Amino acid sequence: STLVESVRRQLDDVSPDLARMEEAAPAREETMTEEERGVFQRDRERLHEGWADLKEQFGQVQAELEII
C-alpha cells in the first residue's frame, strides 16, 4: 500500500542518519566531560534499541496488513 511504502521510505532514511551520528560521536565525545560522555553513550544505546524495536514493529504490522 501507499502508506506502507511511505513509512518504509522514512524508515530507510533513518539508517544513514544513525550511521552519520556514530561516525561523529568520537569527535563530539572529545569535548565532553566523563559524565556527559556516559549520558551521551546511554542515549545513543537507547536510540539504537528504540530504532530496532520500531523496525520490528513495522515488520509485524506490515505482515499483518498483507494477511488482511
Side-chain angles (χ1 to χ4, degrees):
S1 86
T2 304
L3 177 61
V4 170
E5 288 302 318
S6 176
V7 172
R8 181 179 295 120
R9 279 192 305 274
Q10 290 177 7
L11 292 176
D12 289 345
D13 289 345
V14 173
S15 290
D17 290 342
L18 290 175
R20 281 191 296 277
M21 179 190 67
E22 287 304 319
E23 289 172 9
R28 290 187 64 194
E29 289 179 344
E30 287 179 9
T31 64
M32 295 178 179
T33 65
E34 190 67 32
E35 182 179 341
E36 290 170 332
R37 219 176 352 263
V39 170
F40 182 56
Q41 289 170 351
R42 283 189 301 277
D43 287 348
R44 287 182 11 244
E45 287 172 9
R46 277 184 251 159
L47 180 62
H48 284 285
E49 290 169 3
W51 171 238
D53 289 345
L54 182 60
K55 287 193 310 185
E56 182 179 332
Q57 290 173 9
F58 176 71
Q60 291 172 353
V61 168
Q62 186 178 2
E64 290 173 10
L65 286 173
E66 289 174 6
I67 291 171
I68 294 174

